Amino acid sequence: MPNMDPKKCPMPSQEPNVRNKNFQEVALGYTAEMAVQEAQRCLQCKNHPCRSGCPVDIDIPGFIAQVAKGDFAEAYKVIARSSALPAVCGRVCPQENQCEGKCIRGIKGEPVGIGRLERFVADWYRENVHAKPEKPAPNGHKVAVIGAGPSGLTAAGDLAKLGYQVTVYEALHVAGGVLMYGIPEFRLPKDIVQHEVEGLKELGVDIQCNMVIGKVLTIDELLGEYGYDAVYVASGAGLPRFMGIPGESLNGVYSANEYLTRVNLMKAYQPGSRTPIQHSKSVAVVGGGNVAMDAARCAKRLGAEDVYIVYRRGMAELPARKEEVEHAEEEGIIFKTLTNPVEVLGDENGWVRGMTCVEMELGEPDESGRRRPIVKQGSEFELEVDTMIMALGTSPNPLIRSTTPGLDADRHGCLITNGPDGLTSRPMVYAGGDAVTGAATVILAMGAGKEAAAAIDKAIREKYEQKK
């Protein structure tokens, strides 16, 4: 008999006024008893709509059924057939818009806590099972993956399971991509990311860090003298956008990319860090997505008294996950919505002292379908801040496309592919994730990695069958 409680089992977490002063994980995770109780809310309905909402096609009813029985090891095996990063996805996926958004239980109550259960299973397995995976028999073919973020790691894992010799080339000094530099420790502990990376290495994936493709090596060299049969470009979107307003070059103006990289990857919050960061009194974060929430919550933990989210639309239009907005509000972040900066103000020493803003109102919908923000005449005011963080989105770095002849990109710098398989304008060069879509979610990048891995395998097999 299913558990018909209309609400999810609550997630234990740190108290807001405790957690906003530390970088330890906010959500503490389910106990085994909580996980079984929540899994028993699943109706095991006939059509499995939850599964259709998962970009990597996890057998969600299958793993939940095992959790409901208390067989957590088997539940992990079900998840691992589709996902290389379950502990990550259980923490950062926007489940409310994907699997949980399609859950039947959500019609007359709250959906099953699929993400919370995935996180529990992955954490349980990491803590209780230490068997190493079997390396598949090699098939004699080599694939290069550019970028060790979620898309690249997913493609690498899937290809390794098929017997390919996979080398991942990562520009930074550590694998993980945005999982390491973009998402804060309090949302995604870095030792969990590295545990997932180690699992891929045990499958035989070779990860080469400090390798900037386009500088150290080119794609043509990888396909030529290095003998790779195919290349998958998963280099992400790390080029920040700015507003183009006066004063953006003042000291104290950061891109969210720089700010979060200093905090997350370089551990600037730790005493004695070799990568310093400004300890601000009053911070404005411009933007309304998950990255803006992450930057604002980091600033609060670094000791800022006032942290503002400055967003030109209203609270209802914030693109960030509802959970992230709620956590930010609980931690004391101030939301100044229907507000837009028009100038950054500096002091006599070239440091930020404030910004001039205008109030906005919402007009008719624009091409994105959202109501277009319009400036209220005569509404200018000054907001006193000493730090400004621009969280306006990112686009792909031009290095790879500028060093690879014949590799087509659109006007935003995103690589052009011929569909979900990820094939670019260059034969045997595939691409996916943020390098193709621009900044998006971890799970969508992983889905692209899975699609590309399957397409690469098919193309290589067909190529060599024709030669026989």
Side-chain angles (χ1 to χ4, degrees):
M1 181 72 181
N3 169 10
M4 297 309 294
D5 190 328
K7 291 188 174 294
K8 293 179 188 177
C9 178
M11 172 65 89
S13 61
Q14 291 191 66
E15 289 297 319
N17 284 328
V18 174
R19 70 186 192 228
N20 67 4
K21 298 175 183 65
N22 68 60
F23 277 82
Q24 296 162 19
E25 193 167 14
V26 168
L28 303 176
Y30 279 168
T31 63
E33 292 75 18
M34 289 174 177
V36 170
Q37 178 186 340
E38 183 60 26
Q40 289 172 348
R41 292 185 64 235
C42 178
L43 300 176
Q44 291 293 322
C45 52
K46 182 180 177 181
N47 295 321
H48 308 158
C50 55
R51 186 167 183 174
S52 69
C54 177
V56 296
D57 193 34
I58 291 172
D59 180 2
I60 293 167
F63 99 77
I64 289 179
Q66 298 301 329
V67 176
K69 293 192 296 187
D71 191 344
F72 307 139
E74 189 60 34
Y76 182 85
K77 290 178 185 176
V78 174
I79 297 172
R81 286 200 291 265
S82 299
S83 175
L85 306 169
V88 171
C89 292
R91 286 168 164 83
V92 303
C93 275
Q95 292 99 1
E96 65 275 13
N97 298 325
Q98 295 175 162
C99 53
E100 293 182 20
K102 294 182 179 291
C103 177
I104 296 296
R105 289 301 305 266
I107 295 173
K108 294 186 177 179
E110 293 183 352
V112 175
I114 298 167
R116 296 175 182 182
L117 291 173
E118 182 180 18
R119 168 191 164 144
F120 167 80
V121 170
D123 288 356
W124 181 91
Y125 193 85
R126 184 178 68 255
E127 292 161 7
N128 291 279
V129 179
H130 306 292
K132 293 190 176 183
E134 282 187 34
K135 284 187 183 179
N139 66 15
H141 299 294
K142 295 167 58 177
V143 178
V145 175
I146 301 173
S151 193
L153 293 176
T154 298
D158 280 13
L159 289 165
K161 289 174 185 176
L162 294 169
Y164 288 92
Q165 181 184 335
V166 183
T167 304
V168 181
Y169 293 99
E170 168 56 43
L172 295 175
H173 63 282
V174 64
V178 71
L179 307 176
M180 292 298 292
Y181 73 76
I183 302 175
E185 184 84 15
F186 56 79
R187 278 216 295 138
L188 180 61
K190 303 310 162 205
D191 61 340
I192 287 173
V193 178
Q194 290 309 305
H195 184 272
E196 306 276 51
V197 170
E198 288 303 314
L200 292 174
K201 289 180 179 178
E202 288 169 358
L203 271 177
V205 175
D206 178 25
I207 299 179
Q208 299 284 331
C209 293
N210 299 308
M211 291 291 287
V212 182
I213 301 301
K215 285 286 188 185
V216 181
L217 292 171
T218 66
I219 285 178
D220 286 330
E221 287 173 323
L222 293 174
L223 289 170
E225 61 197 82
Y226 281 78
Y228 288 100
D229 295 281
V231 173
Y232 179 56
V233 181
S235 48
L239 192 66
R241 294 178 189 161
F242 288 86
M243 294 185 72
I245 60 176
E248 276 187 325
S249 60
L250 288 164
N251 295 316
V253 177
Y254 292 86
S255 70
N257 250 32
E258 179 191 354
Y259 193 83
L260 290 171
T261 298
R262 284 173 178 259
V263 173
N264 301 328
L265 188 64
M266 311 308 291
K267 308 293 185 188
Y269 59 87
Q270 292 180 347
S273 170
R274 293 172 64 186
T275 303
I277 198 164
Q278 187 171 345
H279 287 258
S280 315
K281 183 178 179 183
S282 186
V283 179
V285 180
V286 183
N290 291 326
V291 172
M293 301 305 140
D294 287 343
R297 295 170 70 193
C298 284
K300 191 73 174 174
R301 284 162 170 77
L302 287 166
E305 294 174 16
D306 297 312
V307 180
Y308 303 97
I309 290 284
V310 179
Y311 182 60
R312 62 183 186 152
R313 290 183 168 94
M315 289 295 289
E317 289 77 30
L318 283 166
R321 292 182 68 191
K322 182 182 176 184
E323 180 180 76
E324 301 308 320
V325 175
E326 289 173 352
H327 282 170
E329 288 181 305
E330 290 169 357
E331 292 170 10
I333 306 302
I334 304 161
F335 283 76
K336 294 193 78 67
T337 54
L338 292 170
T339 301
N340 205 39
V342 292
E343 183 179 3
V344 189
L345 305 172
D347 64 15
E348 63 279 5
N349 297 314
W351 288 86
V352 174
R353 65 168 181 82
M355 60 188 196
T356 302
C357 299
V358 290
E359 294 179 12
M360 312 293 285
E361 55 189 0
L362 297 180
E364 294 301 311
D366 61 15
E367 64 276 3
S368 71
R370 295 181 297 172
R371 294 175 65 193
R372 186 167 58 90
I374 301 168
V375 177
K376 282 186 184 179
Q377 295 304 315
S379 64
E380 281 194 3
F381 68 95
E382 196 173 303
L383 185 65
E384 189 177 328
V385 294
D386 58 15
T387 303
M388 197 171 174
I389 302 170
M390 298 295 193
L392 304 168
T394 54
S395 57
N397 189 295
L399 182 60
I400 285 177
R401 69 176 185 271
S402 66
T403 57
T404 310
L407 190 62
D408 292 345
D410 65 17
R411 63 189 179 88
H412 301 294
C414 299
L415 298 181
I416 296 171
T417 64
N418 68 353
D421 68 359
L423 181 63
T424 68
S425 53
R426 286 285 304 268
M428 302 308 291
V429 177
Y430 293 74
D434 290 3
V436 170
T437 62
T441 63
V442 167
I443 191 67
L444 287 175
M446 290 176 63
K450 287 190 76 66
E451 293 264 16
I456 289 168
D457 174 53
K458 182 173 182 285
I460 291 174
R461 284 189 290 105
E462 287 177 351
K463 178 180 176 181
Y464 283 90
E465 281 171 10
Q466 289 171 0
K467 289 183 176 181
K468 289 179 182 177

